[in-house]
Short mmCIF file of all heavy atoms in Angstrom, two decimals:
data_model
loop_
_atom_site.label_atom_id
_atom_site.label_comp_id
_atom_site.label_asym_id
_atom_site.label_seq_id
_atom_site.Cartn_x
_atom_site.Cartn_y
_atom_site.Cartn_z
N MET A 1 14.42 -12.08 -12.38
CA MET A 1 12.95 -12.22 -12.28
C MET A 1 12.30 -11.40 -13.39
O MET A 1 12.53 -10.21 -13.49
CB MET A 1 12.46 -11.70 -10.93
CG MET A 1 12.77 -12.65 -9.78
SD MET A 1 12.10 -12.08 -8.24
CE MET A 1 13.16 -10.67 -7.92
N PRO A 2 11.55 -12.07 -14.20
CA PRO A 2 10.93 -11.36 -15.32
C PRO A 2 9.74 -10.52 -14.87
O PRO A 2 8.84 -11.01 -14.17
CB PRO A 2 10.47 -12.49 -16.25
CG PRO A 2 10.26 -13.65 -15.35
CD PRO A 2 11.23 -13.50 -14.22
N ILE A 3 9.76 -9.29 -15.25
CA ILE A 3 8.62 -8.42 -15.00
C ILE A 3 8.02 -8.05 -16.35
O ILE A 3 8.72 -7.58 -17.23
CB ILE A 3 9.05 -7.14 -14.25
CG1 ILE A 3 9.58 -7.52 -12.87
CG2 ILE A 3 7.89 -6.17 -14.12
CD1 ILE A 3 10.06 -6.32 -12.07
N TYR A 4 6.73 -8.32 -16.48
CA TYR A 4 6.06 -8.02 -17.73
C TYR A 4 5.04 -6.92 -17.52
O TYR A 4 4.52 -6.73 -16.42
CB TYR A 4 5.37 -9.27 -18.28
CG TYR A 4 6.33 -10.37 -18.64
CD1 TYR A 4 6.44 -11.49 -17.84
CD2 TYR A 4 7.14 -10.25 -19.76
CE1 TYR A 4 7.34 -12.50 -18.17
CE2 TYR A 4 8.04 -11.24 -20.09
CZ TYR A 4 8.13 -12.37 -19.30
OH TYR A 4 9.01 -13.36 -19.61
N GLU A 5 4.78 -6.25 -18.61
CA GLU A 5 3.79 -5.20 -18.57
C GLU A 5 2.56 -5.70 -19.31
O GLU A 5 2.67 -6.25 -20.40
CB GLU A 5 4.35 -3.94 -19.24
CG GLU A 5 3.66 -2.67 -18.78
CD GLU A 5 4.42 -1.44 -19.25
OE1 GLU A 5 5.65 -1.48 -19.32
OE2 GLU A 5 3.74 -0.45 -19.56
N TYR A 6 1.43 -5.54 -18.68
CA TYR A 6 0.19 -6.05 -19.27
C TYR A 6 -0.82 -4.94 -19.43
O TYR A 6 -0.82 -3.96 -18.68
CB TYR A 6 -0.42 -7.14 -18.37
CG TYR A 6 0.37 -8.42 -18.33
CD1 TYR A 6 1.31 -8.63 -17.34
CD2 TYR A 6 0.15 -9.41 -19.28
CE1 TYR A 6 2.04 -9.81 -17.29
CE2 TYR A 6 0.87 -10.58 -19.24
CZ TYR A 6 1.81 -10.78 -18.24
OH TYR A 6 2.53 -11.94 -18.20
N ALA A 7 -1.67 -5.14 -20.41
CA ALA A 7 -2.83 -4.28 -20.56
C ALA A 7 -4.05 -5.17 -20.43
O ALA A 7 -4.18 -6.18 -21.13
CB ALA A 7 -2.82 -3.59 -21.93
N CYS A 8 -4.94 -4.83 -19.54
CA CYS A 8 -6.14 -5.63 -19.31
C CYS A 8 -7.12 -5.45 -20.46
O CYS A 8 -7.39 -4.34 -20.90
CB CYS A 8 -6.78 -5.19 -17.99
SG CYS A 8 -8.33 -6.05 -17.66
N SER A 9 -7.61 -6.60 -20.94
CA SER A 9 -8.58 -6.55 -22.03
C SER A 9 -9.95 -6.14 -21.52
O SER A 9 -10.81 -5.71 -22.28
CB SER A 9 -8.68 -7.91 -22.72
OG SER A 9 -7.44 -8.26 -23.28
N GLY A 10 -10.17 -6.34 -20.23
CA GLY A 10 -11.48 -6.05 -19.67
C GLY A 10 -11.70 -4.58 -19.41
O GLY A 10 -12.71 -4.01 -19.83
N CYS A 11 -10.75 -3.95 -18.70
CA CYS A 11 -10.95 -2.56 -18.29
C CYS A 11 -9.91 -1.62 -18.86
O CYS A 11 -9.99 -0.42 -18.67
CB CYS A 11 -10.98 -2.46 -16.76
SG CYS A 11 -9.38 -2.77 -15.99
N GLY A 12 -8.92 -2.17 -19.56
CA GLY A 12 -7.92 -1.30 -20.16
C GLY A 12 -6.82 -0.87 -19.21
O GLY A 12 -5.94 -0.10 -19.60
N HIS A 13 -6.85 -1.39 -18.01
CA HIS A 13 -5.85 -1.01 -17.03
C HIS A 13 -4.49 -1.58 -17.42
O HIS A 13 -4.38 -2.74 -17.81
CB HIS A 13 -6.27 -1.54 -15.65
CG HIS A 13 -5.35 -1.14 -14.54
ND1 HIS A 13 -5.26 0.15 -14.08
CD2 HIS A 13 -4.46 -1.87 -13.81
CE1 HIS A 13 -4.37 0.19 -13.10
NE2 HIS A 13 -3.86 -1.01 -12.92
N GLU A 14 -3.44 -0.76 -17.34
CA GLU A 14 -2.09 -1.23 -17.64
C GLU A 14 -1.30 -1.33 -16.35
O GLU A 14 -1.34 -0.44 -15.50
CB GLU A 14 -1.40 -0.27 -18.62
CG GLU A 14 -2.04 -0.28 -19.99
CD GLU A 14 -1.23 0.54 -20.99
OE1 GLU A 14 -0.11 0.96 -20.64
OE2 GLU A 14 -1.73 0.77 -22.10
N PHE A 15 -0.58 -2.44 -16.22
CA PHE A 15 0.16 -2.66 -14.98
C PHE A 15 1.34 -3.57 -15.26
O PHE A 15 1.42 -4.24 -16.28
CB PHE A 15 -0.75 -3.28 -13.91
CG PHE A 15 -1.30 -4.63 -14.32
CD1 PHE A 15 -0.69 -5.79 -13.85
CD2 PHE A 15 -2.39 -4.72 -15.15
CE1 PHE A 15 -1.18 -7.03 -14.21
CE2 PHE A 15 -2.88 -5.96 -15.52
CZ PHE A 15 -2.29 -7.12 -15.05
N GLU A 16 2.27 -3.57 -14.31
CA GLU A 16 3.41 -4.47 -14.41
C GLU A 16 3.20 -5.63 -13.45
O GLU A 16 2.68 -5.46 -12.35
CB GLU A 16 4.70 -3.74 -14.03
CG GLU A 16 5.07 -2.68 -15.04
CD GLU A 16 6.28 -1.88 -14.59
OE1 GLU A 16 6.79 -2.14 -13.48
OE2 GLU A 16 6.71 -1.01 -15.34
N ALA A 17 3.60 -6.82 -13.88
CA ALA A 17 3.44 -7.99 -13.04
C ALA A 17 4.72 -8.80 -13.03
O ALA A 17 5.33 -9.02 -14.08
CB ALA A 17 2.28 -8.84 -13.53
N LEU A 18 5.10 -9.21 -11.85
CA LEU A 18 6.25 -10.10 -11.72
C LEU A 18 5.73 -11.52 -11.91
O LEU A 18 4.91 -12.01 -11.15
CB LEU A 18 6.86 -9.92 -10.33
CG LEU A 18 8.30 -10.37 -10.13
CD1 LEU A 18 8.88 -9.66 -8.92
CD2 LEU A 18 8.39 -11.86 -9.94
N VAL A 19 6.18 -12.16 -12.98
CA VAL A 19 5.58 -13.43 -13.38
C VAL A 19 6.49 -14.60 -13.07
O VAL A 19 7.60 -14.68 -13.58
CB VAL A 19 5.25 -13.41 -14.88
CG1 VAL A 19 4.62 -14.72 -15.29
CG2 VAL A 19 4.33 -12.25 -15.21
N ARG A 20 6.03 -15.47 -12.24
CA ARG A 20 6.72 -16.74 -12.03
C ARG A 20 6.05 -17.79 -12.91
O ARG A 20 4.93 -17.60 -13.37
CB ARG A 20 6.66 -17.16 -10.56
CG ARG A 20 7.34 -16.16 -9.65
CD ARG A 20 7.33 -16.65 -8.22
NE ARG A 20 7.86 -15.66 -7.29
CZ ARG A 20 7.16 -14.70 -6.73
NH1 ARG A 20 5.88 -14.60 -6.98
NH2 ARG A 20 7.72 -13.84 -5.91
N SER A 21 6.73 -18.90 -13.08
CA SER A 21 6.23 -19.90 -14.02
C SER A 21 4.89 -20.46 -13.59
O SER A 21 4.09 -20.93 -14.40
CB SER A 21 7.24 -21.02 -14.17
OG SER A 21 7.51 -21.60 -12.91
N SER A 22 4.61 -20.47 -12.30
CA SER A 22 3.37 -21.05 -11.81
C SER A 22 2.31 -19.99 -11.53
O SER A 22 1.26 -20.30 -10.99
CB SER A 22 3.63 -21.86 -10.53
OG SER A 22 4.19 -21.03 -9.54
N THR A 23 2.61 -18.77 -11.90
CA THR A 23 1.69 -17.69 -11.57
C THR A 23 0.99 -17.17 -12.81
O THR A 23 1.62 -16.91 -13.82
CB THR A 23 2.45 -16.52 -10.91
OG1 THR A 23 3.15 -17.01 -9.79
CG2 THR A 23 1.50 -15.43 -10.50
N VAL A 24 -0.31 -17.07 -12.73
CA VAL A 24 -1.07 -16.44 -13.80
C VAL A 24 -1.43 -15.04 -13.34
O VAL A 24 -2.15 -14.88 -12.34
CB VAL A 24 -2.35 -17.23 -14.12
CG1 VAL A 24 -3.14 -16.53 -15.22
CG2 VAL A 24 -1.99 -18.65 -14.55
N PRO A 25 -0.93 -14.05 -14.01
CA PRO A 25 -1.22 -12.68 -13.57
C PRO A 25 -2.67 -12.31 -13.84
O PRO A 25 -3.30 -12.83 -14.76
CB PRO A 25 -0.27 -11.84 -14.43
CG PRO A 25 -0.04 -12.65 -15.66
CD PRO A 25 -0.07 -14.09 -15.20
N GLU A 26 -3.15 -11.42 -13.02
CA GLU A 26 -4.50 -10.93 -13.26
C GLU A 26 -4.53 -9.44 -13.03
O GLU A 26 -3.68 -8.88 -12.34
CB GLU A 26 -5.51 -11.63 -12.35
CG GLU A 26 -5.30 -11.35 -10.88
CD GLU A 26 -6.41 -11.97 -10.03
OE1 GLU A 26 -6.95 -13.01 -10.41
OE2 GLU A 26 -6.72 -11.40 -8.97
N CYS A 27 -5.53 -8.83 -13.60
CA CYS A 27 -5.66 -7.39 -13.50
C CYS A 27 -5.93 -6.99 -12.05
O CYS A 27 -6.84 -7.53 -11.41
CB CYS A 27 -6.82 -6.92 -14.39
SG CYS A 27 -7.18 -5.16 -14.23
N PRO A 28 -5.13 -6.08 -11.49
CA PRO A 28 -5.35 -5.65 -10.11
C PRO A 28 -6.59 -4.77 -9.96
O PRO A 28 -7.04 -4.51 -8.85
CB PRO A 28 -4.08 -4.86 -9.77
CG PRO A 28 -3.58 -4.38 -11.08
CD PRO A 28 -3.96 -5.42 -12.10
N SER A 29 -7.12 -4.36 -11.07
CA SER A 29 -8.28 -3.48 -11.02
C SER A 29 -9.59 -4.25 -11.07
O SER A 29 -10.48 -4.07 -10.24
CB SER A 29 -8.22 -2.49 -12.17
OG SER A 29 -9.33 -1.62 -12.16
N CYS A 30 -9.71 -5.18 -12.06
CA CYS A 30 -10.97 -5.91 -12.21
C CYS A 30 -10.78 -7.42 -12.07
O CYS A 30 -11.72 -8.18 -12.22
CB CYS A 30 -11.61 -5.58 -13.56
SG CYS A 30 -10.71 -6.27 -14.97
N HIS A 31 -9.53 -7.85 -11.82
CA HIS A 31 -9.19 -9.27 -11.60
C HIS A 31 -9.48 -10.13 -12.82
O HIS A 31 -9.66 -11.34 -12.70
CB HIS A 31 -9.93 -9.81 -10.37
CG HIS A 31 -9.57 -9.07 -9.12
ND1 HIS A 31 -8.37 -9.23 -8.48
CD2 HIS A 31 -10.26 -8.13 -8.42
CE1 HIS A 31 -8.34 -8.43 -7.43
NE2 HIS A 31 -9.47 -7.75 -7.36
N SER A 32 -9.50 -9.54 -13.96
CA SER A 32 -9.62 -10.32 -15.18
C SER A 32 -8.28 -10.94 -15.53
O SER A 32 -7.22 -10.38 -15.23
CB SER A 32 -10.07 -9.41 -16.33
OG SER A 32 -9.95 -10.09 -17.57
N LYS A 33 -8.33 -12.13 -16.10
CA LYS A 33 -7.09 -12.77 -16.54
C LYS A 33 -6.91 -12.66 -18.05
O LYS A 33 -6.02 -13.27 -18.62
CB LYS A 33 -7.08 -14.25 -16.12
CG LYS A 33 -6.88 -14.43 -14.63
CD LYS A 33 -6.68 -15.89 -14.28
CE LYS A 33 -6.28 -16.08 -12.83
NZ LYS A 33 -7.31 -15.58 -11.90
N GLU A 34 -7.77 -11.92 -18.67
CA GLU A 34 -7.62 -11.71 -20.10
C GLU A 34 -6.74 -10.48 -20.32
O GLU A 34 -7.21 -9.35 -20.39
CB GLU A 34 -8.99 -11.52 -20.75
CG GLU A 34 -9.82 -12.79 -20.70
CD GLU A 34 -11.04 -12.70 -21.60
OE1 GLU A 34 -10.96 -12.03 -22.65
OE2 GLU A 34 -12.07 -13.28 -21.25
N LEU A 35 -5.45 -10.78 -20.39
CA LEU A 35 -4.48 -9.71 -20.46
C LEU A 35 -3.71 -9.75 -21.76
O LEU A 35 -3.51 -10.81 -22.34
CB LEU A 35 -3.49 -9.84 -19.30
CG LEU A 35 -4.13 -9.97 -17.92
CD1 LEU A 35 -3.06 -10.29 -16.89
CD2 LEU A 35 -4.88 -8.71 -17.54
N LYS A 36 -3.30 -8.59 -22.17
CA LYS A 36 -2.46 -8.51 -23.35
C LYS A 36 -1.06 -8.14 -22.89
O LYS A 36 -0.86 -7.14 -22.20
CB LYS A 36 -3.01 -7.44 -24.30
CG LYS A 36 -2.38 -7.47 -25.67
CD LYS A 36 -3.16 -6.59 -26.63
CE LYS A 36 -3.10 -5.12 -26.22
NZ LYS A 36 -3.79 -4.24 -27.16
N LYS A 37 -0.09 -8.99 -23.22
CA LYS A 37 1.26 -8.75 -22.75
C LYS A 37 1.93 -7.66 -23.57
O LYS A 37 1.95 -7.70 -24.79
CB LYS A 37 2.08 -10.04 -22.83
CG LYS A 37 3.45 -9.90 -22.19
CD LYS A 37 4.32 -11.10 -22.48
CE LYS A 37 3.94 -12.32 -21.67
NZ LYS A 37 4.93 -13.42 -21.85
N LEU A 38 2.50 -6.71 -22.86
CA LEU A 38 3.24 -5.65 -23.53
C LEU A 38 4.72 -5.95 -23.44
O LEU A 38 5.13 -7.06 -23.12
CB LEU A 38 2.90 -4.30 -22.89
CG LEU A 38 1.40 -3.96 -22.87
CD1 LEU A 38 1.19 -2.63 -22.18
CD2 LEU A 38 0.83 -3.93 -24.27
N LEU A 39 5.53 -4.98 -23.70
CA LEU A 39 6.97 -5.19 -23.69
C LEU A 39 7.47 -5.57 -22.31
O LEU A 39 7.02 -5.05 -21.30
CB LEU A 39 7.68 -3.92 -24.14
CG LEU A 39 7.53 -3.56 -25.61
CD1 LEU A 39 8.19 -2.22 -25.87
CD2 LEU A 39 8.15 -4.62 -26.49
N SER A 40 8.43 -6.47 -22.30
CA SER A 40 9.08 -6.82 -21.05
C SER A 40 10.02 -5.70 -20.63
O SER A 40 10.71 -5.11 -21.46
CB SER A 40 9.86 -8.12 -21.20
OG SER A 40 10.66 -8.33 -20.07
N VAL A 41 10.06 -5.43 -19.35
CA VAL A 41 10.92 -4.36 -18.85
C VAL A 41 12.38 -4.71 -19.05
O VAL A 41 13.21 -3.88 -19.37
CB VAL A 41 10.63 -4.09 -17.36
CG1 VAL A 41 11.58 -3.04 -16.81
CG2 VAL A 41 9.19 -3.64 -17.19
N PHE A 42 12.68 -5.99 -18.88
CA PHE A 42 14.08 -6.42 -18.98
C PHE A 42 14.36 -7.11 -20.31
O PHE A 42 15.11 -8.06 -20.38
CB PHE A 42 14.39 -7.39 -17.84
CG PHE A 42 14.30 -6.75 -16.49
CD1 PHE A 42 13.53 -7.31 -15.50
CD2 PHE A 42 14.98 -5.58 -16.22
CE1 PHE A 42 13.43 -6.72 -14.25
CE2 PHE A 42 14.89 -4.98 -14.98
CZ PHE A 42 14.12 -5.56 -13.99
N ALA A 43 13.76 -6.62 -21.36
CA ALA A 43 13.84 -7.32 -22.64
C ALA A 43 15.27 -7.46 -23.14
O ALA A 43 15.67 -8.52 -23.60
CB ALA A 43 13.01 -6.59 -23.68
N THR A 44 16.07 -6.43 -23.02
CA THR A 44 17.38 -6.46 -23.66
C THR A 44 18.50 -6.13 -22.68
O THR A 44 19.48 -5.53 -23.02
CB THR A 44 17.43 -5.46 -24.82
OG1 THR A 44 17.08 -4.17 -24.35
CG2 THR A 44 16.47 -5.86 -25.93
N THR A 45 18.35 -6.54 -21.44
CA THR A 45 19.40 -6.24 -20.47
C THR A 45 20.50 -7.28 -20.48
O THR A 45 21.45 -7.20 -19.73
CB THR A 45 18.82 -6.13 -19.05
OG1 THR A 45 17.97 -7.24 -18.83
CG2 THR A 45 18.03 -4.85 -18.89
N GLY A 46 20.37 -8.32 -21.31
CA GLY A 46 21.45 -9.28 -21.46
C GLY A 46 21.60 -10.21 -20.28
O GLY A 46 22.70 -10.42 -19.79
N THR A 47 20.51 -10.78 -19.81
CA THR A 47 20.60 -11.71 -18.69
C THR A 47 20.99 -13.10 -19.16
O THR A 47 21.33 -13.95 -18.36
CB THR A 47 19.28 -11.78 -17.94
OG1 THR A 47 18.25 -12.07 -18.88
CG2 THR A 47 18.99 -10.47 -17.25
N SER A 48 20.96 -13.32 -20.47
CA SER A 48 21.30 -14.64 -20.99
C SER A 48 22.80 -14.86 -20.93
O SER A 48 23.58 -14.01 -21.32
CB SER A 48 20.81 -14.78 -22.42
OG SER A 48 21.22 -16.01 -22.97
N THR A 49 23.19 -16.01 -20.43
CA THR A 49 24.62 -16.30 -20.32
C THR A 49 25.01 -17.48 -21.20
O THR A 49 26.12 -17.97 -21.12
CB THR A 49 24.98 -16.63 -18.86
OG1 THR A 49 24.19 -17.73 -18.42
CG2 THR A 49 24.77 -15.44 -17.96
N ASP A 50 24.09 -17.92 -22.04
CA ASP A 50 24.40 -19.08 -22.86
C ASP A 50 24.82 -18.70 -24.27
O ASP A 50 24.68 -19.47 -25.20
CB ASP A 50 23.22 -20.05 -22.89
CG ASP A 50 21.95 -19.36 -23.39
OD1 ASP A 50 22.02 -18.17 -23.72
OD2 ASP A 50 20.91 -20.02 -23.43
N ALA A 51 25.31 -17.51 -24.42
CA ALA A 51 25.79 -17.08 -25.73
C ALA A 51 27.23 -17.54 -25.91
O ALA A 51 28.17 -16.77 -25.94
CB ALA A 51 25.70 -15.56 -25.86
N ALA A 52 27.40 -18.85 -26.00
CA ALA A 52 28.74 -19.41 -26.12
C ALA A 52 29.29 -19.16 -27.52
O ALA A 52 28.55 -19.20 -28.49
CB ALA A 52 28.72 -20.89 -25.82
N PRO A 53 30.56 -18.90 -27.59
CA PRO A 53 31.17 -18.73 -28.92
C PRO A 53 31.10 -20.02 -29.71
O PRO A 53 31.37 -21.10 -29.19
CB PRO A 53 32.61 -18.33 -28.60
CG PRO A 53 32.85 -18.80 -27.21
CD PRO A 53 31.52 -18.73 -26.52
N MET A 54 30.73 -19.92 -30.97
CA MET A 54 30.52 -21.11 -31.77
C MET A 54 31.73 -21.47 -32.62
O MET A 54 31.71 -22.39 -33.40
CB MET A 54 29.30 -20.89 -32.69
CG MET A 54 28.00 -20.72 -31.92
SD MET A 54 27.64 -22.10 -30.81
CE MET A 54 27.25 -23.39 -32.01
N MET A 55 32.80 -20.71 -32.48
CA MET A 55 33.98 -21.02 -33.28
C MET A 55 34.73 -22.21 -32.69
O MET A 55 34.99 -22.23 -31.49
CB MET A 55 34.92 -19.80 -33.30
CG MET A 55 34.47 -18.74 -34.29
SD MET A 55 35.40 -17.21 -34.14
CE MET A 55 37.01 -17.81 -33.70
N PRO A 56 35.07 -23.18 -33.50
CA PRO A 56 35.83 -24.32 -32.98
C PRO A 56 37.25 -23.89 -32.63
O PRO A 56 37.88 -23.14 -33.35
CB PRO A 56 35.85 -25.30 -34.15
CG PRO A 56 35.65 -24.45 -35.36
CD PRO A 56 34.76 -23.30 -34.92
N SER A 57 37.70 -24.35 -31.48
CA SER A 57 39.07 -24.01 -31.08
C SER A 57 39.92 -25.27 -31.17
O SER A 57 39.45 -26.38 -30.92
CB SER A 57 39.08 -23.48 -29.64
OG SER A 57 38.47 -24.41 -28.78
N PRO A 58 41.15 -25.14 -31.53
CA PRO A 58 42.02 -26.31 -31.66
C PRO A 58 42.30 -26.98 -30.34
O PRO A 58 42.34 -26.33 -29.30
CB PRO A 58 43.31 -25.73 -32.25
CG PRO A 58 43.29 -24.30 -31.86
CD PRO A 58 41.84 -23.90 -31.83
N CYS A 59 42.47 -28.29 -30.38
CA CYS A 59 42.80 -29.02 -29.16
C CYS A 59 44.10 -28.49 -28.57
O CYS A 59 45.00 -28.11 -29.29
CB CYS A 59 42.95 -30.51 -29.46
SG CYS A 59 41.38 -31.32 -29.73
N GLY A 60 44.15 -28.49 -27.28
CA GLY A 60 45.33 -27.94 -26.62
C GLY A 60 45.06 -26.57 -26.05
O GLY A 60 45.68 -26.17 -25.08
N SER A 61 44.08 -25.88 -26.64
CA SER A 61 43.77 -24.56 -26.09
C SER A 61 42.28 -24.43 -25.82
O SER A 61 41.82 -23.39 -25.41
CB SER A 61 44.21 -23.46 -27.06
OG SER A 61 43.48 -23.58 -28.26
N CYS A 62 41.53 -25.51 -26.05
CA CYS A 62 40.09 -25.42 -25.83
C CYS A 62 39.80 -25.47 -24.33
O CYS A 62 40.56 -26.07 -23.56
CB CYS A 62 39.35 -26.52 -26.56
SG CYS A 62 39.43 -28.12 -25.77
N PRO A 63 38.71 -24.84 -23.90
CA PRO A 63 38.39 -24.77 -22.47
C PRO A 63 37.63 -25.98 -21.95
O PRO A 63 36.98 -25.91 -20.93
CB PRO A 63 37.54 -23.50 -22.39
CG PRO A 63 36.84 -23.46 -23.71
CD PRO A 63 37.80 -24.06 -24.73
N ASN A 64 37.72 -27.09 -22.63
CA ASN A 64 37.00 -28.28 -22.18
C ASN A 64 37.47 -28.69 -20.79
O ASN A 64 38.66 -28.68 -20.49
CB ASN A 64 37.25 -29.42 -23.18
CG ASN A 64 36.30 -30.59 -22.94
OD1 ASN A 64 36.39 -31.27 -21.92
ND2 ASN A 64 35.41 -30.83 -23.87
N VAL A 65 36.51 -29.06 -19.95
CA VAL A 65 36.84 -29.38 -18.56
C VAL A 65 37.68 -30.65 -18.45
O VAL A 65 38.32 -30.92 -17.45
CB VAL A 65 35.57 -29.54 -17.71
CG1 VAL A 65 34.87 -28.20 -17.57
CG2 VAL A 65 34.65 -30.58 -18.31
N GLY A 66 37.67 -31.48 -19.50
CA GLY A 66 38.46 -32.70 -19.49
C GLY A 66 39.94 -32.47 -19.71
O GLY A 66 40.73 -33.39 -19.59
N GLY A 67 40.29 -31.24 -20.01
CA GLY A 67 41.70 -30.92 -20.21
C GLY A 67 42.00 -30.76 -21.68
O GLY A 67 41.14 -31.00 -22.54
N PRO A 68 43.19 -30.34 -22.01
CA PRO A 68 43.59 -30.15 -23.40
C PRO A 68 43.45 -31.43 -24.20
O PRO A 68 43.88 -32.50 -23.77
CB PRO A 68 45.07 -29.72 -23.29
CG PRO A 68 45.20 -29.17 -21.91
CD PRO A 68 44.21 -29.95 -21.07
N GLY A 69 42.82 -31.33 -25.34
CA GLY A 69 42.67 -32.51 -26.19
C GLY A 69 41.42 -33.31 -25.91
O GLY A 69 41.09 -34.23 -26.62
N ALA A 70 40.69 -32.97 -24.84
CA ALA A 70 39.53 -33.77 -24.45
C ALA A 70 38.29 -33.43 -25.25
O ALA A 70 37.28 -34.09 -25.10
CB ALA A 70 39.25 -33.58 -22.97
N CYS A 71 38.37 -32.43 -26.06
CA CYS A 71 37.17 -32.02 -26.79
C CYS A 71 36.88 -32.93 -27.96
O CYS A 71 35.79 -32.89 -28.51
CB CYS A 71 37.30 -30.57 -27.26
SG CYS A 71 38.55 -30.34 -28.52
N SER A 72 37.78 -33.75 -28.36
CA SER A 72 37.64 -34.70 -29.46
C SER A 72 37.11 -34.03 -30.71
O SER A 72 36.26 -34.56 -31.40
CB SER A 72 36.74 -35.87 -29.07
OG SER A 72 35.39 -35.43 -28.92
N PHE A 73 37.58 -32.84 -30.93
CA PHE A 73 37.13 -32.12 -32.12
C PHE A 73 37.73 -32.74 -33.37
O PHE A 73 37.12 -32.79 -34.41
CB PHE A 73 37.55 -30.65 -32.01
CG PHE A 73 37.07 -29.83 -33.16
CD1 PHE A 73 35.71 -29.52 -33.27
CD2 PHE A 73 37.94 -29.37 -34.13
CE1 PHE A 73 35.26 -28.77 -34.33
CE2 PHE A 73 37.49 -28.62 -35.19
CZ PHE A 73 36.15 -28.31 -35.31
N ASN A 74 38.91 -33.27 -33.29
CA ASN A 74 39.56 -33.95 -34.42
C ASN A 74 39.46 -35.45 -34.26
O ASN A 74 40.30 -36.05 -33.69
CB ASN A 74 41.04 -33.51 -34.53
CG ASN A 74 41.11 -32.07 -34.99
OD1 ASN A 74 40.32 -31.64 -35.83
ND2 ASN A 74 42.03 -31.32 -34.42
ZN1 ZN B 1 -8.96 -5.03 -15.68
#
């Protein structure tokens, strides 16, 4: 769950907000939605799992779910 830190443009209040895709955060102090996003708390904790290795592996040892040779790399 992404938690972002915001600074309110209206009153200068800084706060953290848990942001869902359908949620627009607002200032808990003055309820303004004119916010400036600061650094994400979880910016570099490595939650991404799609960092797949880009090196081609030879058929016979590739992890393709179709089995050895199914990657049709050659
Ligand atoms: Zn505010």
Side-chain angles (χ1 to χ4, degrees):
M1 285 184 289
I3 296 179
Y4 296 106
E5 203 169 325
Y6 290 94
C8 177
S9 299
C11 69
H13 183 71
E14 293 187 9
F15 62 98
E16 292 175 358
L18 200 159
V19 180
R20 299 183 185 87
S21 57
S22 59
T23 304
V24 179
E26 64 175 31
C27 174
S29 179
C30 70
H31 300 286
S32 169
K33 288 188 172 62
E34 293 193 32
L35 308 172
K36 191 168 65 177
K37 187 189 285 187
L38 304 179
L39 290 176
S40 170
V41 176
F42 296 128
T44 56
T45 47
T47 53
S48 175
T49 57
D50 57 2
M54 296 304 290
M55 281 171 34
S57 56
C59 285
S61 63
C62 77
N64 192 293
V65 292
C71 68
S72 69
F73 183 72
N74 290 322

